[in-house]
Amino acid sequence: MEQIPTDAAAASAVDDKNNSQKPQKPTELAPSIPIRPAPERSDSFLPPHLRASASNVPVTPDISQDTYKSDPEGGPDGYFSRKVIDHAIASSPAPDSTLKQGQSFETKIAVGAQEGKDWLKRLEMAAMGRRESMSEIRAISPDLSLSGNIISATFNIPHSLKYRKGADWELTPRRGQSALFDSFSYLSSDEAPWNHTVVAWTGEIEIPPDALSPPSTPPTTTVHLSALNHLSKPVPIDGDSAPPTPPLVDGLWIPKDDMLRLESQLSHNKRIKTVPVWLADDTDGHDDGIRLKDQARWRRYAQHDLYTLFHYKQHEPSDGRAERVQWADYYRMNQKFANKILEIYKPGDIVIVHDYNLLLLPSMLRQRAPHMYISFYLHSPFPSSEFLRCLPRRKEVLEGVLGANLVGFQSYSYARHFASCCTRILGFPSDTAGVDAYGARVEVGVFPIGIDAAKVAMIAYQDSVTANVKKLKQRFGGLKIIVGRDRLDSVRGVAQKLMAFERFLEMYPEWRDKVVLIQVTSPSNVEEEADDPENKISNRVNELIMKINGVYGSLGFTPVQHYPQYINQDEYFALLRTADIGLITSVRDGMNTTSLEYVLCQRQSAGPLILSEFSGTAGSLKDAIHINPWDLTGVAEAINNALTMPEDKRQEMEQNLLAHVTSKNVQYWIAGFLRRLVSVLGSRKDVVATPLLDRSEMLRKYRAAKKRLFMFDYDGTLTPIVREPSAAVPSERVINSLKALASDPQNAVWIISGRDQEFLTQHLGHITQLGFSAEHGSFMRHPGETEWENLVEKFDMSWQEEVHRVFQEYTDKVPGSFVERKRCALTWHYRLADPEQGLHMSRECHKELESTVARKWDVEVMPGKANLEVRPTFINKGEIVKRLVTTYNAELKAAEQDKLGFVICMGDDFTDEDMFRALNGLSAPSDGSADVEAENTFTVTVGASTKVTLARWHLLEPEDVIECTALLAGAVGTPEGGVLSMGEVNLAVVSAVEDHIPTEL
């Protein structure tokens, strides 16, 4: 019996029985066959990714022979180098503590678990000044005002639910996401200093068959029970006609009392406190309960569009009707999550949002709580910009994630893809460490997830598992066992695995009848793949299995043992312990915990791990044999190398992998993620991002108001910035939307621009209901009128000649520049000039004007977008805003009506900041005496610039402004708007406000 060293007193985390009765290491079963040598390969025992013979031709973009290695002389980092993630991950909690000579497995687990706990404390203390308690943490970082609460938002609760009316709910552990749920358990335990709450959807709720009560009492009806097979269907008494069947109620009705019972059970759960999110249409939710219809609808967009695209799969294009509805459900689902989180949120709480089902949630939370501490972690891969561009809602997805302070990924390549997409699609500056967006910095980091090593080790070596191991060894005695366990979907690479195994048997005939592949495939969680009766993946897998077994099998031997089913926990760990090789061939994967669990289960026999380079854990498990699943010959060679690998090589590989898995556990992962978040928050505590415009809130306020005021800038707001100013012509959609808004007598719509009267009259003057302010407030034309009012006719304008002379000098120096002369202002444009020369000369011109004309006259010099303008100081857009608000409020007061109930102002450059400043002042008092209420005022800056703004909201580009005007125009029921003509984004907003998809669809 092996003695546990005294330095591992923390081994209490491991079952005492395992400590005292450790199973003896089995003797190696060498095959009684000659091993075919690899001719002319001195490196045949090396993993394929280190052999020139297997990696001389790159099969993956940006991955070649040198990609996997880092130059010791200080050259560029390799693809899997730890250095690329040093900016995001703290150092290991004692990387050598679980890699000591003579250290038993139990000691590794105990030491790793104990050091993990100690390190978690050190992390929390180091981040907060080496203090443990939350009170001391708050004292160290008073500006953060941390509450000590963490809210984790994930799509599914950790339990599968079964409902019985009037009884306690049946809660069973949910399959999958074990590492994530283990991290929740840690944060909810006494070991963590935080108070932790999970917010999640209930998931599809099952109704168990009628319970027999009292015993032997049959159910009241079997109408709702499906037949076990076609022969067990009830036979009608009348042979000619079936008995009448009562109509089934559409959906599952859950009374309020039962809803409260579940909420109570989840809130008092000893392992994880959970707050459920109930997802249903408003028409299905009542005070006395809720009706759940088509429960799977809430996951369809994420599974159909996001999951597939993130795993580099693209659907055939369709007419978009289904996608419109699915996007609307996805948007509403994220809104409902935001509502639920805000019900329990307190200032100072930290919110962690998990995975692709909730991509919009960070931005929705930021819109309603600008100072909230938000992080987001994606457990799946993130595609390159070339793939993400295929997603119609790519912009909304990226904008949603950018509401977070910190965004975490499983590997460096995923983080790099995300930052690149933000630059290529949204136009935001980015680097490998973050993205500059909405006036703030969104940090991006790499945090490879781990597993609860102590828990897995304890479970994997229970007596029940050992009994299953013995049965498997008896059944497959004398055979080498390759184990694969995957979901049967298109990204797990099951077909590639089978084809590689077939190639292996073809290349190495000496292994035939000596090796068996045990492949367990659980049903796909992707609805369309699971429910498709002609599932191409399943058919392909079955065809390959029949082919392999037919060619290489016999009556007494089947080379592929396929089990298309769920297996229980004991069977799963028994398989991993029995295996001689673990084979993972996923073609695109994020978090693959099977590879980590396999390492723990192989601590005795040291079976090699063959791991796809496309798996998210490949970057962490450097010592595994990395393969390209598309290179069937390479995989076949890797299998042969693993089977013939010497004992010392296998032990070295296993010890290195075991050291990583036991130290980089799930506690290490979540603590490192939190540590990074607190660091980010502390370094940027004074920076407040301008959130994306909350269109749902805008629509609600618009509908509730009786009198509304719209104020739009023109260039860069209603139309894109163009090189030639005269080419900025409004689109037909802009004109139709403005007409629709202005036609409502409750709306007052104004265009407040730096353009002159002639331009505005030419392009928009035919819309008689519009009001205009030209040249930054120098001229006004009221709705329904044709004459312009000159607001500066009494002002001395002789300063223009001196300014024109200076501008002309610089026009002669800068080819492509020109002077635009307005009645009350002069503008020098250099948009058509060389960008560097134009910018440099504009600064010189600005200095000259400030030192000459601006000192003699009451004028100001205003730099704009590729222009420089001089105008009287008392003329600005802010004065026009004050004038309009005051005038309309006076009219309403005279008519004994309430003041303006909705005011929206949109602009793109700093001259529009005057409007935002004026509206902020007009809405400043919060006691009801303000000219306009702050909650009814929407100031919106437009553009991808990271400038600091006085606006409360942000939109990315003029197209978004047009979408917003079309949304509000559609809300008034005009022919130009309406549900049928809405885009997906606006349809989702209307659905969120009305809490159901409009019936017109």
Side-chain angles (χ1 to χ4, degrees), residues 164-401:
R164 285 186 174 89
K165 184 177 181 180
D168 282 349
W169 292 69
E170 182 180 332
L171 278 58
T172 56
R174 184 177 296 276
R175 294 181 183 272
Q177 296 184 297
S178 58
L180 176 62
F181 295 151
D182 284 341
S183 73
F184 291 166
S185 295
Y186 162 70
L187 290 175
S188 303
S189 70
D190 295 335
E191 298 174 12
W194 308 92
N195 297 317
H196 182 238
T197 302
V198 173
V199 174
W201 176 43
T202 60
E204 291 89 342
I205 296 174
E206 300 179 43
I207 311 176
D210 287 346
L212 300 183
S213 177
S216 302
T217 301
T220 56
T221 179
T222 60
V223 169
H224 64 288
L225 299 179
S226 58
L228 296 178
N229 59 63
H230 70 283
L231 297 177
S232 65
K233 293 180 181 178
V235 179
I237 295 175
D238 183 353
D240 298 327
S241 62
T245 301
L248 295 177
V249 178
D250 185 16
L252 170 63
W253 173 257
I254 300 179
K256 188 68 174 180
D257 289 344
D258 289 337
M259 294 173 65
L260 295 175
R261 181 179 292 107
L262 175 62
E263 293 174 6
S264 177
Q265 284 182 241
L266 294 175
S267 65
H268 292 88
N269 187 274
K270 295 181 179 180
R271 183 184 172 210
I272 302 172
K273 176 184 176 182
T274 306
V275 176
V277 177
W278 299 92
L279 296 179
D281 290 341
D282 68 332
T283 54
D284 300 325
H286 307 275
D287 292 339
D288 56 344
I290 192 170
R291 187 173 301 283
L292 305 178
K293 302 178 183 177
D294 187 15
Q295 298 181 61
R297 65 186 291 187
W298 305 106
R299 63 171 77 245
R300 284 200 184 109
Y301 182 83
Q303 287 186 348
H304 181 272
D305 288 67
L306 297 178
Y307 177 87
T308 52
L309 190 83
F310 282 14
H311 288 82
Y312 286 75
K313 291 174 55 186
Q314 179 60 17
H315 293 290
E316 291 293 328
S318 65
D319 59 12
R321 295 182 183 180
E323 286 78 2
R324 282 163 57 87
V325 175
Q326 290 169 8
W327 172 258
D329 285 336
Y330 184 79
Y331 183 95
R332 282 197 297 151
M333 181 263 292
N334 277 260
Q335 280 273 20
K336 290 176 183 290
F337 266 80
N339 295 340
K340 182 59 67 175
I341 289 173
L342 289 168
E343 287 179 12
I344 64 175
Y345 167 78
K346 299 183 183 67
D349 289 358
I350 289 176
V351 178
I352 306 177
V353 181
H354 291 274
D355 227 4
Y356 58 89
N357 296 90
L358 301 174
L359 291 173
L360 306 183
L361 183 56
S363 183
M364 289 178 173
L365 292 172
R366 181 72 62 206
Q367 289 167 345
R368 298 162 68 179
H371 299 278
M372 183 182 286
Y373 304 146
I374 306 171
S375 59
F376 177 85
Y377 188 86
L378 184 67
H379 295 263
S380 73
F382 195 89
S384 65
S385 59
E386 286 76 11
F387 256 85
L388 193 67
R389 282 195 185 105
C390 299
L391 185 68
R393 302 275 64 83
R394 58 200 180 182
K395 187 175 69 175
E396 289 76 19
V397 162
L398 291 174
E399 289 174 333
V401 175

Side-chain angles (χ1 to χ4, degrees), residues 837-891:
Q837 183 190 24
L839 181 61
H840 172 72
M841 297 305 289
S842 71
R843 290 170 178 166
E844 294 297 320
C845 183
H846 192 172
K847 292 178 183 177
E848 182 174 342
L849 291 172
E850 287 285 2
S851 61
T852 56
V853 179
R855 292 188 176 184
K856 294 192 299 183
W857 300 89
D858 191 14
V859 296
E860 58 183 341
V861 185
M862 305 287 290
K865 292 185 177 179
N867 65 64
L868 199 64
E869 183 167 284
V870 182
R871 68 187 186 192
T873 54
F874 67 89
I875 296 176
N876 63 68
K877 295 181 178 181
E879 295 300 321
I880 295 299
V881 167
K882 294 177 184 178
R883 184 180 184 126
L884 292 177
V885 171
T886 301
T887 300
Y888 282 110
N889 273 342
E891 293 176 359

